[in-house]
Amino acid sequence: MNIKIVNTYLMQSMLLIALLTVLSFAWMWLTGNAANMLVAVCISAVFQLVACMAYGFLWKTVAASSQDSLPTLYMSASGFRMLAGVITVLAFCFATEDKTAIRFFVILFLIYYFVILIYDTAYFMKVEKKIRHNG
């Protein structure tokens, strides 16, 4: 496994999260909902950054030690990200009583989550296809 593939994943995922954050701040500015959206944007962006970086570094480790375990890593990491996302959303819902803030948070968190999920799926399908074609 080429470490460049993992580094490319990390760079592209960070750029995608940065783009989502800039778009979220632009939407906040245009709609004037800064009070409701600022915390939602920060938590969503940080959650995805931490998840992508952990995923990338774990991928490097597994790829270096046992490439046969990569399909298991893809599935388990996706399941763990989903569990961590559910816990994060529930924690936010229990921490605040403002229904508008909760609604903005859940919507924005899901947008970040699904955009990164689609990116991860497409990226790993491309990588696996390339590995099978070359190997």
Side-chain angles (χ1 to χ4, degrees), residues 9-116:
Y9 165 77
L10 288 170
M11 182 60 68
Q12 288 178 358
S13 61
M14 285 190 275
L15 288 173
L16 184 57
I17 293 166
L19 176 64
L20 288 170
T21 303
V22 167
L23 291 173
S24 298
F25 281 132
W27 180 256
M28 255 184 357
W29 180 72
L30 288 172
T31 62
N33 285 325
N36 290 326
M37 289 184 64
L38 186 59
V39 172
V41 171
C42 292
I43 292 173
S44 299
V46 168
F47 176 87
Q48 292 302 334
L49 279 173
V50 169
C52 287
M53 291 184 72
Y55 197 16
F57 293 126
L58 187 61
W59 188 17
K60 276 184 186 180
T61 304
V62 171
S65 64
S66 173
Q67 287 207 358
D68 294 337
S69 299
L70 284 176
T72 305
L73 170 69
Y74 300 151
M75 291 300 293
S76 60
S78 294
F80 182 75
R81 182 183 287 186
M82 183 173 60
L83 179 64
V86 168
I87 290 169
T88 302
V89 169
L90 288 175
F92 183 84
C93 291
F94 287 129
T96 187
E97 295 178 13
D98 183 5
K99 291 185 188 218
T100 305
I102 291 172
R103 184 172 16 109
F104 276 123
F105 175 74
V106 170
I107 291 169
L108 195 63
F109 191 87
L110 287 174
I111 290 170
Y112 271 81
Y113 184 86
F114 285 120
V115 167
I116 296 298

